[in-house]
Amino acid sequence: MLDGDKILIEGRALIACPQCDMLHFEPDIPEDHTATCIRCGQVLAAPRTNAYLRVLSLATTAVILMVGAVFFPFIELEAAGLHNTTSVIDAILAFSTGLMLPLSFAVAMLIVLIPVTRFAAIIYTVWPLVRNRKPFAGASEAFRLAEFLRPWSMAEIFIVGVSVALVKVAGLATVSFGPAFWAFAGLVVVTVLQDNSMCRYTIWKSLEQNRA
Amino acid sequence: MPVHDMEISGTEPRLSTARAQGLIACQRCGLVHPAGTEHCSRCGGPVRSRDPHSLQRVWAWLFAGIVVYIPANIYPMLRTATLLDKEESTIVGGAIELFHHGSYMVATVVFVASILIPIGKFIAIAYLALGVRKAVVMNAHQRHKLFEVVEFIGRWSMIDVFVVAILSALVQLGSVAIINPGIAAVSFALSVAFTMLSAQSLDPRLIWDADEEFK
Ligand SMILES: [Zn+2]
Ligand SMILES: [Zn+2]
């Protein structure tokens, strides 16, 4: 049976597992329960209580932390009376000479611009949903963008990179962390928390329902 | 039409895929559409049953990733100048040096992230792409797990590029020590990006299409 361009069986819509294409009835699962694919085990839906509010506040926190992380000094280094402080911008500009200039741009994208764009897109999508309002114009496009950018958002990898770099220079100089390091570390924790409380399926469903 | 209902447990599952029923599923939001649909009515993105060029793109990006991985290992990643000497170290050289300094943990991290993971990924993606066309040792469940691991872990290889960026920015101590990035950082970053694109081009549904158990 067809309803618009939706397939309905016994009055219920069908969804398919994105990983293995297995058909399921559209799950109507209670909050804090998880629906998984019967064939491959992929999580299909995992709505959480107050998820939108949590996602919204975590994404906002992440943007604020990112501003701090970019502009404050990151690590300080001292050796033989010489002193050097480094900010995230300095790390980005490390490749700014000659042939490596495009790499500077790529690093800026991966650790700052893409994460910020992604958080902004998520805030834009979820903002009206928190109050159960009609989504903003282009909310679907914004959330598709956020999903597309997910693998390219690498702030957490950068933080682990800092630790490796520190061990490499440990013998050479005295190193101490600046405020930006802690901002970045906080950003990583917030990102993980946010990704865990965000159920993509529920967001798509809410966007569809609130649009009407 | 056979469909599995996940709310009613105990009833015998009647299994089928969207493709087997001539339907098209959206991979972002899951909604199923009739044949011929081009855009999802829920999320607005493009939908297709299977991308006929998926494997072609997987192989093309994989090949590109392997090609640029070669200069990444030949040319220096870091150029260090101290009071006493000047040296250039490659990826492998850097890991060995760390090992000699007794930083076993970090040496292992670098070795795993920039050598084991990239090469393991090349092999895993090639194996998954081959498995779509012909029978291989691993079953669909195992190949699906392998694919998830490749997707999860692939991004972490970028760590080496960040380490080079941080070291080069940090260690600018005039005559005492200066570290500058080497050209290998560029080809290594490209290799990681190309390999990520290769894995993203693989439609995971293709892994399951050939699943004999299920038919
Ligand atoms: Zn599945
Ligand atoms: Zn969709």
Side-chain angles (χ1 to χ4, degrees), chain A residues 17-22 24 37-42 44, chain B residues 208:
Chain A
C17 171
Q19 298 289 318
C20 73
D21 212 26
M22 180 76 213
H24 302 79
C37 173
I38 187 178
R39 188 185 189 195
C40 73
Q42 168 80 16
L44 296 176
Chain B
W208 292 90

Side-chain angles (χ1 to χ4, degrees), chain A residues 79-95:
Chain A
L82 290 164
H83 182 86
N84 186 23
T85 60
T86 302
S87 69
V88 172
I89 293 183
D90 297 326
I92 289 169
L93 293 177
F95 297 114

Side-chain angles (χ1 to χ4, degrees), chain A residues 31-50:
Chain A
E31 280 180 350
D32 299 315
H33 285 67
T34 302
T36 54
C37 173
I38 187 178
R39 188 185 189 195
C40 73
Q42 168 80 16
V43 173
L44 296 176
R48 296 285 172 259
T49 317
N50 286 329

Side-chain angles (χ1 to χ4, degrees), chain A residues 5 12 14-16 18-19 21-23 25-26 38-40 77 82 84 86 144 151 153 156 204 208 211, chain B residues 4-5 7 15-19 25 27 30 32 34 41-45 50 141 155 170 173 204-205 208:
Chain A
D5 56 354
R12 298 170 66 189
L14 290 179
I15 61 164
Q19 298 289 318
D21 212 26
M22 180 76 213
L23 286 171
F25 278 124
E26 185 126 81
I38 187 178
R39 188 185 189 195
C40 73
L77 181 129
L82 290 164
N84 186 23
T86 302
R144 284 214 308 273
S153 171
E156 77 274 28
W204 283 124
E208 186 186 40
R211 206 158 34 198
Chain B
H4 177 68
D5 190 328
E7 283 163 66
L15 307 170
S16 185
T17 64
R19 188 172 78 148
Q27 280 190 296
V32 173
S41 62
R42 177 175 287 162
C43 68
R50 298 293 183 272
H141 282 275
R155 320 157 55 233
L170 193 60
L173 298 169
R205 297 177 297 189
W208 292 90

